[in-house]
Structures are given as structure tokens and as C-alpha cells.
């Protein structure tokens, strides 16, 4: 092990929602006493924290309040050298946690944990792990979520993006904005959007305002009718059927904003950034119309390869070859 480590993790495995932890007589009694499966786990973690405190005063014991352990116990507090790490696994990506109908009990739970833990941490999600190629209009919910975390006493934040592949739409901007928020969670919404605009200006060139229009429009339109987690398919994010001419016109208009930005780009680097950024909306559009235009599908395929995207999702590699007569969502 790493003797220089300052955090040790004593956590349940990544689990399904219906798991309940140890069901022995002693653990069940603790869970019933404190009103949560976290009762037995936190009792165990606290005991470890107390046992190592004198010999290792610089070491913290971390545990996950995740899935079945998310609910905070009543009448039990975390020791001062314990870190409680939460994961908003069931929360909405486009609207954020606070006030969204998909928030489940996360907002209530994080506020309650803030009252019984001095060291709260968040394992945040900023990618759609079920489909890296789908649009992800979460650039505003990031701001709202970090603000919520900070107001509840969170002291550390880890953001998990697409760890096994590059993605197309704004992964660079997303990382930049999250970094800015981690340095300064007190920033105003106006300051946040100024950081966004400055990045767009330097990264995409003179046509950057078209990309800002794209960000605003997709956030407003998709957010108007959709709620989805970090494991969503295309139809959940923006459901389109053949009769939805208004939706298809919207998708074509969004693709057109990238085309206009490309016309204003002054360097090859800026053009490459824009081509990469356009992948998500092209993928959504060509999949929604069930496009079998081999030329358009081949162009999208080549963009994905040019961008170095090697996976469609967390568990599925992007193929080396596809049938260009097939809809992109089937690749």
C-alpha cells in the first residue's frame, strides 16, 4: 500500500439499488436504530477512524453515501476524521439537483449529511456514460450543482467525465468551467458565463457566438421537455418521431450554427475544434431522421475517428468499421 496516503477508503462496492448491506443480527439492529443502512456502516467506519486517530492524525477515513447508504442516519454523526462522499447517481443532468423532479431525495440527504459530517465530498458526474455521442446540455446545471454542494458544506469535489475515451461536445469547456468553479465556488452566474464566453472565443475563434447560441438553445429546448441521468439514451434526451417536423427543424438549425461558426474560423486548429464539437448534434440529427445517406454517415464516422473518440459508452468501444447505410445510433 501507499504509506504516504492521507485518505483510506472503507466503502461498499458499487452496487445495485436493492442491495442492503450486511443483514446479520447486529448490523440490522444498528440500521433499525439509526433509520438507515448507513447506521451499521458508519458505526464501523467511525470505529476505524477513532482507532487510527492518535497514530495517524493526518489520515482520513472515507466512505460512500451511495445508493442504499445515501440516506443519512438519525442520531449518529461522522467522526471528525471521516469523509462522507456522496454521488448524485439518480439526479437530472440537464436541470441539476436543486428543485428538479428527478432529484429523488438527494437534495434533502445532502443537506442532512451537512449537519452531521464536517468533511463532505462529492463524486460528481459530467458525462453520459450510456452514450458519449449524445448531446449533453449540462453546462448550466454544473454551476447550480456546485453552488448547492458548497452551500451544504462540501469540502472536496471529484468530477468523473468520460474516463475511457474522448467525447465530442464541449468536454474541454466542461473541464475548464468545473476547474474554475472548484477554485472559486463563490463566483456569480455572470462571472461563470464570462468564463464560458472567454473560452469559446479563444477555442473556437471568430464564430464563437454561434456556439454560445447553440449552448443556450439546446439547454432551453431539451431542458423544456426532458429529464435524464448520466445513463440516458438518445430518445430519452430528445425524443423525435417522423411527424416531429418542428423538432427536426430545430436539429437542422443547431447543426447549421456549427456550419456558420466554421465559416468564421481562422485557423486549422479552430476548425478541428468545431468539427469535434459538432459530433453530438450530427449524431442526434442523423439518428433521429433514421438517415441512410451513406455520404453523410461516412462524414460523421470520419469526424469521430478524427477526434480520437474510441468508445460509444463506458462499456462499448467505437467500431473500426461500420455499415454507412445503417443509422448512426446502431453503430
Amino acid at each position: 500500500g501507499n504509506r504516504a496516503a492521507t485518505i483510506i477508503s472503507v466503502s461498499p462496492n458499487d452496487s445495485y439499488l436493492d442491495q442492503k448491506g450486511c443483514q446479520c443480527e447486529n448490523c440490522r439492529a444498528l440500521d433499525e436504530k439509526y433509520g438507515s443502512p448507513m447506521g451499521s456502516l458508519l458505526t464501523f467506519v467511525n470505529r476505524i477512524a477513532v482507532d487510527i486517530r492518535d497514530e495517524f492524525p493526518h489520515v482520513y477515513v472515507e466512505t460512500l453515501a451511495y445508493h442504499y447508504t445515501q440516506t443519512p442516519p438519525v442520531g449518529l454523526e461522522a467522526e471528525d476524521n471521516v469523509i462522507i462522499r456522496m454521488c448524485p447517481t439518480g439526479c437530472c443532468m440537464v436541470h441539476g439537483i436543486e428543485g428538479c423532479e428527478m432529484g429523488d431525495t438527494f437534495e434533502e440527504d445532502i443537506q442532512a449529511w451537512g449537519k452531521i459530517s464536517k468533511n463532505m465530498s462529492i463524486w460528481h458526474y459530467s458525462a453520459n456514460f450510456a452514450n458519449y455521442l449524445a448531446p449533453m446540455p449540462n453546462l448550466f446545471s454544473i454551476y447550480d450543482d456546485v453552488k448547492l454542494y458548497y452551500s451544504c458544506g462540501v469540502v472536496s469535489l471529484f468530477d468523473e467525465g468520460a474516463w475511457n475515451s474522448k467525447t465530442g461536445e464541449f468536454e474541454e469547456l466542461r473541464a475548464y468551467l468545473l476547474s474554475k468553479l472548484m477554485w472559486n465556488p463563490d463566483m456569480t452566474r455572470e462571472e461563470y458565463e464570462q468564463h464560458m464566453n472567454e473560452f469559446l472565443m479563444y477555442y473556437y475563434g471568430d464564430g464563437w457566438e454561434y456556439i454560445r447560441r447553440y449552448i443556450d438553445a439546446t439547454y432551453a429546448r431539451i431542458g423544456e421537455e426532458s429529464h435524464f441521468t448520466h445513463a440516458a439514451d438518445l430518445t430519452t434526451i430528445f425524443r423525435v418521431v417522423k411527424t416531429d417536423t418542428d423538432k427536426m427543424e430545430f436539429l437542422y438549425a443547431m447543426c447549421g450554427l456549427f456550419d456558420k461558426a466554421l465559416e468564421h474560423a481562422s485557423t486549422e486548429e479552430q476548425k478541428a475544434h468545431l468539427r469535434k464539437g459538432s459530433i453530438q448534434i450530427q449524431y442526434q440529427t442523423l439518428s433521429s431522421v433514421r438517415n441512410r445517406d451513406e455520404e453523410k454517415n461516412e462524414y460523421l464516422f470520419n469526424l469521430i475517428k478524427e477526434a480520437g473518440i474510441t468508445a460509444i459508452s463506458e462499456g462499448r468501444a467505437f467500431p473500426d468499421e461500420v455499415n454507412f447505410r445503417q443509422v448512426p445510433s446502431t453503430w
Side-chain angles (χ1 to χ4, degrees):
N2 180 4
R3 292 183 177 273
T6 58
I7 298 175
I8 59 173
S9 183
V10 182
S11 291
N13 290 328
D14 199 347
S15 59
Y16 296 105
L17 290 172
D18 59 353
Q19 290 189 354
K20 300 177 182 178
C22 180
Q23 293 296 292
C24 77
E25 183 178 350
N26 289 340
C27 286
R28 283 205 314 271
L30 287 167
D31 292 345
E32 291 173 6
K33 177 181 178 180
Y34 296 115
S36 166
M38 189 52 130
S40 54
L41 177 60
L42 185 55
T43 298
F44 176 56
V45 170
N46 276 347
R47 187 178 302 169
I48 296 171
V50 170
D51 286 348
I52 70 169
R53 180 181 294 153
D54 291 340
E55 186 175 357
F56 304 99
H58 61 292
V59 174
Y60 289 81
V61 184
E62 177 198 82
T63 193
L64 285 169
Y66 178 58
H67 283 335
Y68 71 92
T69 59
Q70 177 178 300
T71 303
V74 177
L76 180 64
E77 296 186 4
E79 291 290 331
D80 289 352
N81 56 334
V82 167
I83 297 173
I84 299 296
R85 186 189 286 267
M86 300 187 71
C87 312
T89 185
C91 296
C92 184
M93 295 288 281
V94 63
H95 298 108
I97 297 164
E98 195 168 12
C100 181
E101 63 188 45
M102 270 195 79
D104 191 25
T105 62
F106 190 89
E107 183 180 353
E108 176 184 338
D109 290 341
I110 192 175
Q111 291 170 345
W113 272 115
K115 297 175 182 176
I116 61 173
S117 172
K118 292 184 178 180
N119 306 295
M120 287 184 61
S121 180
I122 295 290
W123 186 306
H124 187 77
Y125 305 112
S126 64
N128 177 9
F129 295 103
N131 194 330
Y132 292 152
L133 300 179
M136 176 52 73
N138 68 336
L139 291 169
F140 296 111
S141 66
I142 286 171
Y143 175 83
D144 294 332
D145 287 347
V146 173
K147 283 290 189 182
L148 173 65
Y149 299 152
Y150 189 56
S151 70
C152 292
V154 169
V155 297
S156 70
L157 172 64
F158 168 76
D159 175 69
E160 183 182 6
W163 58 271
N164 61 329
S165 175
K166 293 182 178 179
T167 63
E169 187 188 70
F170 307 131
E171 64 177 353
E172 303 87 357
L173 172 60
R174 195 172 286 110
Y176 178 80
L177 292 173
L178 274 162
S179 297
K180 288 290 188 181
L181 281 168
M182 289 183 198
W183 278 111
N184 179 21
D186 277 324
M187 76 169 64
T188 65
R189 177 66 174 260
E190 290 73 22
E191 290 172 321
Y192 178 78
E193 295 198 30
Q194 183 60 35
H195 287 308
M196 180 188 294
N197 291 343
E198 288 175 353
F199 184 95
L200 296 175
M201 188 184 308
Y202 287 108
Y203 199 70
Y204 295 116
D206 291 342
W208 72 271
E209 290 182 280
Y210 291 109
I211 306 307
R212 178 58 202 262
R213 284 169 57 187
Y214 170 89
I215 291 170
D216 291 340
T218 52
Y219 176 76
R221 183 64 188 267
I222 294 176
E224 183 180 22
E225 58 185 75
S226 301
H227 298 272
F228 54 88
T229 70
H230 65 288
D233 61 26
L234 279 179
T235 58
T236 302
I237 294 171
F238 196 63
R239 183 169 181 81
V240 184
V241 297
K242 289 182 179 179
T243 56
D244 288 332
T245 56
D246 177 62
K247 287 186 176 181
M248 287 310 308
E249 288 176 1
F250 171 76
L251 292 175
Y252 290 135
M254 294 301 97
C255 290
L257 290 174
F258 274 96
D259 292 337
K260 291 175 181 176
L262 269 169
E263 293 173 4
H264 290 79
S266 56
T267 69
E268 286 304 314
E269 185 178 43
Q270 291 169 355
K271 293 176 182 178
H273 293 163
L274 286 162
R275 289 195 298 270
K276 181 174 183 287
S278 73
I279 287 171
Q280 258 82 345
I281 194 62
Q282 291 195 53
Y283 181 80
Q284 174 82 60
T285 302
L286 296 177
S287 297
S288 297
V289 298
R290 302 198 61 76
N291 181 68
R292 289 179 173 79
D293 185 317
E294 293 187 46
E295 185 176 346
K296 290 181 179 178
N297 287 344
E298 184 176 6
Y299 177 72
L300 174 60
F301 177 86
N302 289 334
L303 283 187
I304 293 169
K305 288 296 185 180
E306 176 190 289
I309 296 171
T310 58
I312 294 176
S313 67
E314 190 171 25
R316 184 179 168 201
F318 190 78
D320 292 327
E321 296 181 0
V322 300
N323 182 347
F324 295 125
R325 289 190 59 78
Q326 291 183 332
V327 179
S329 59
T330 66
W331 291 350

